[in-house]
Amino acid sequence: MAIESFALSANNITYVRTACDFGYDQLFDGPAGRMIPPVWGYATVVESRSALEVGSRWYGLWPAGSYLTVQPKMTRSGFRDVMARRSVLNPLYNGYLPGGPDNPRKQITEASLRPLHFLAYVLSRDLEHELNGAARIVVTSASSKTATALAWELRNLNPIGLTSPSRVKFVRSAGVWTQILPYAMTSDIGAGPVIVLDVAGSEDIAAAIRERPDAGETRVIGIGFTHPDAAVSTGRDVFFAPDRVVDLISRVGAAAFERDLEKRARAFLERSSGIYDVHKVTPDRLVRFWANLAKGEVDSSHLYGCVAKDG
């Protein structure tokens, strides 16, 4: 498989920071003692001794590099890479879907937003009873694409987004939030219990929410780490979407799950594609860009992706 393009966002940094917990560091063969980061994107078959046709395009999880050799096992929706090294990871990360747009900018858009919508979709379905019973739902790092996907899936529950003061205007322009507050105004969340979907991963933010006047029970569900320099929030229940999928599928069936996920993903992509500007990163700029991404110095109001060969 020759890798055409892949998305670059804080989501990639989360994979690196949680690599040892979930097996991302063993996903691809890299130099001794080093990890090749996983990235979502598109690749084309350039050589095949399998059912995969040369020239066919596939969407899935790739190494941040140029090529990947896979051992495909065909499935109802595409194929699964059954290389031994992939067995350490949840099987959902080993699946690949056929097709995808020819335009690199559209590839970047889909590769950036699809994985984040998947997380938001699974969380909303898995915790729907708890979330429906919550007095308030608060999402940190509201300017992030993960938070936007969460707000979209939970829009009927009137989520409150927290963000930095400079990002309030942009977050409001997304049109998916009931209320947007800067971090310094957590007291305006109001009294009573809340469920915090913590995308920022900052202990200071979580503490401010817990310490607001007349706060009730505050449950913090860990989603990500968009604030890399902050002390990691403690007392978080980490949410790992792939581990929750098995229960969802057992309740509704695999076919129904896939149909509903694709329908809602397509609606989210159509709704969100106009929100973001898309910027292409060429391979020679990738290392520098990655360093800025890891330091949280990349503007989250844009979509970024590495394109191997422009088209």
Side-chain angles (χ1 to χ4, degrees):
M1 314 288 292
I3 298 165
E4 293 183 18
S5 63
F6 52 83
L8 294 164
S9 72
N11 189 42
N12 301 114
I13 305 305
T14 298
Y15 287 156
V16 174
R17 293 189 66 173
T18 59
C20 295
D21 297 324
F22 299 118
Y24 301 129
D25 54 330
Q26 302 178 51
L27 184 55
F28 307 115
D29 293 331
R34 293 196 170 192
M35 170 189 176
I36 300 179
V39 290
W40 292 97
Y42 291 89
T44 299
V45 179
V46 292
E47 182 180 338
S48 179
R49 292 184 293 277
S50 71
L52 301 186
E53 294 184 3
V54 172
S56 60
R57 176 181 292 122
W58 295 83
Y59 165 82
L61 198 63
W62 311 101
S66 301
Y67 295 94
L68 178 68
T69 298
V70 300
Q71 183 179 340
K73 179 179 180 180
M74 304 311 293
T75 64
R76 178 176 56 224
S77 55
F79 78 86
R80 188 168 68 252
D81 184 4
V82 294
M83 282 279 196
R85 66 173 183 273
R86 305 291 290 254
S87 64
V88 299
L89 209 59
N90 187 289
L92 283 171
Y93 283 112
N94 299 331
Y96 293 83
L97 300 175
D102 294 325
N103 186 295
R105 291 183 182 275
K106 291 183 178 179
Q107 290 181 1
I108 291 169
T109 299
E110 295 216 355
S112 297
L113 299 179
R114 268 187 176 275
L116 307 181
H117 175 266
F118 174 80
L119 182 154
Y121 173 81
V122 173
L123 184 145
S124 68
R125 296 295 306 275
D126 185 61
L127 300 178
E128 56 188 341
H129 297 301
E130 295 178 53
L131 296 174
N132 274 315
R136 288 175 181 82
I137 298 170
V138 177
V139 185
T140 66
S141 194
S143 68
S144 70
K145 289 169 278 293
T146 298
T148 302
L150 287 165
W152 169 261
E153 282 297 322
L154 301 172
R155 58 194 181 279
N156 293 332
L157 301 181
N158 302 315
I160 300 171
L162 296 182
T163 190
S164 59
S166 64
R167 311 298 291 163
V168 169
K169 182 177 180 180
F170 167 73
V171 176
R172 282 184 179 143
S173 71
V176 294
W177 297 93
T178 298
Q179 185 178 6
I180 301 297
L181 296 173
Y183 288 122
M185 296 176 61
T186 53
S187 59
D188 285 3
I189 293 171
V194 297
I195 292 180
V196 181
L197 305 181
D198 186 20
V199 183
S202 167
E203 177 61 28
D204 290 342
I205 296 171
I209 297 171
R210 291 190 180 102
E211 294 167 3
R212 70 194 192 282
D214 300 317
E217 179 183 1
T218 300
R219 181 185 176 192
V220 180
I221 300 175
I223 305 295
F225 300 99
T226 61
H227 290 209
D229 295 330
V232 175
S233 175
T234 58
R236 304 195 326 165
D237 300 325
V238 176
F239 185 87
F240 186 54
D243 284 349
R244 310 297 183 98
V245 170
V246 174
D247 289 339
L248 282 177
I249 290 177
S250 68
R251 296 206 306 261
V252 303
F257 173 83
E258 290 176 4
R259 284 196 304 269
D260 190 48
L261 172 60
E262 180 58 28
K263 176 183 177 182
R264 291 167 71 160
R266 185 53 54 190
F268 173 70
L269 287 167
E270 291 175 357
R271 172 66 176 77
S272 303
S273 59
I275 296 175
Y276 304 101
D277 293 328
V278 177
H279 297 269
K280 293 181 284 187
V281 178
T282 54
D284 61 301
R285 294 174 50 221
L286 179 57
V287 172
R288 183 185 294 271
F289 183 88
W290 188 278
N292 292 335
L293 189 64
K295 290 184 289 187
E297 296 177 354
V298 172
D299 189 343
S300 61
S301 65
H302 303 302
L303 301 180
Y304 297 91
C306 184
V307 180
K309 185 172 69 174
D310 206 351

